[in-house]
Amino acid sequence: MSRYLIANWKSNKNRQEAQAWLQEFARQLKGGLDAQLTEQDILVVLTPAFPLVPLVADALTQHQLQAVTVGVQSLSAYPAGSYTGSVSARNLEGLSVEYALLGHSEDRRYLHTNSHDVANQVEHCLQTGIVPIVCVDTPYLQEQAQALDSVVLPEVLVAYEPLAAIGTGDEYPVAEVAEVVTRIRTVFGKVPVLYGGSVDAGNVAGFLEIADGVLVGTDSLDVADFTAVVRAAL
Ligand code: PGA
């Protein structure tokens, strides 16, 4: 089964910074890393802010990277239509977006996205051929599973993102994460489960032993840090 390394840039980086990052990342990967990732069925998903999506997609095509693809960090809970300020799944068609992070704790906290919004986003993603990655934390794990239509459950990836570990450098013990991963599989079914929260090159291998992938925030911003995470995952 595939494993995933998700680089979540959040709302960081302008065009120039993204370009420099991509240039160096491609250089690193073409030295054999890209082939190793492909061989081991590890997929890297870069999730930039919306305006940078075409830039990232074009760079991946230009450098012919096989093991890297593009995702977004959210999308509208509404369909295409009169929803000023929103980005609908339809807006993303034709832009090579393959994955979408949904219901990240920062999205829930600052933009007030709730579990029902996430359920709608999941529907829109699936209609558009985008794979939804539903982010959860223990207080609303059950609530989120119940908000999803049971027929879509086998189609989603779930990411366990404990609030206390996000952006803090306070890494969670692997054994604790493993327990929650098991709980998630009980509640959501046999879906791939990812982990996110202060993942770095030093701890990624441990998390990949008990989860199907990781989300990397802080350590995805600097290309050297992220490349180190990628190498440590092999
Ligand atoms: P972090 O962010 O790696 O900075 O903890 C992870 C995330 O928000 O997914």
Side-chain angles (χ1 to χ4, degrees):
M1 191 161 73
S2 304
R3 283 179 300 158
Y4 304 86
L5 305 177
I6 318 275
N8 180 6
W9 287 354
K10 309 194 177 181
S11 64
N12 295 289
K13 297 196 188 297
N14 61 22
R15 186 180 172 82
Q16 207 182 353
E17 290 160 346
Q19 250 160 353
W21 193 103
L22 290 161
Q23 186 80 23
E24 177 57 16
F25 191 58
R27 199 180 68 81
Q28 295 282 342
L29 258 69
K30 283 204 277 192
L33 255 189
D34 190 48
Q36 272 176 285
L37 289 166
T38 309
E39 236 169 68
Q40 297 193 21
D41 202 7
I42 299 179
L43 185 65
V44 175
V45 185
L46 306 180
T47 65
F50 288 126
L52 301 172
V53 164
L55 179 81
V56 172
D58 289 350
L60 300 183
T61 311
Q62 185 202 331
H63 295 289
Q64 299 183 321
L65 297 179
Q66 303 300 315
V68 192
T69 187
V70 193
V72 290
Q73 300 166 18
S74 178
L75 50 76
S76 179
Y78 297 96
S82 300
Y83 303 99
T84 302
S86 299
V87 174
S88 67
R90 182 161 181 86
N91 297 144
L92 300 174
E93 282 177 7
L95 293 177
S96 308
V97 172
E98 293 196 33
Y99 291 85
L101 296 176
L102 304 176
H104 189 283
S105 61
E106 287 153 10
D107 191 350
R108 293 179 194 254
R109 179 176 178 192
Y110 298 115
L111 304 174
H112 311 294
T113 297
N114 63 37
S115 293
H116 290 284
D117 296 326
V118 172
N120 289 328
Q121 293 168 336
V122 166
E123 300 279 347
H124 299 316
C125 278
L126 293 175
Q127 284 158 11
T128 317
I130 296 173
V131 179
I133 304 172
V134 176
C135 302
V136 294
D137 193 359
T138 43
Y140 50 82
L141 195 160
Q142 195 88 35
E143 173 198 286
Q144 182 60 77
Q146 279 165 359
L148 295 172
D149 189 329
S150 57
V151 299
V152 308
L153 283 177
E155 312 287 331
V156 305
L157 276 61
V158 177
Y160 170 43
E161 295 246 315
L163 194 57
I166 294 177
T168 56
D170 289 339
E171 102 188 31
Y172 259 41
V174 173
E176 251 175 65
V177 174
E179 265 177 44
V180 181
V181 168
T182 307
R183 254 179 74 197
I184 290 176
R185 293 224 173 88
T186 316
V187 175
F188 283 80
K190 281 193 171 33
V191 292
V193 182
L194 284 53
Y195 170 74
S198 299
V199 173
D200 59 29
N203 61 26
V204 66
F207 289 124
L208 286 176
E209 276 175 27
I210 52 98
D212 301 299
V214 290
L215 271 82
V216 186
T218 307
D219 273 25
S220 73
L221 296 181
D222 183 290
V223 68
D225 290 340
F226 189 64
T227 310
V229 173
V230 172
R231 287 187 200 282
L234 289 166

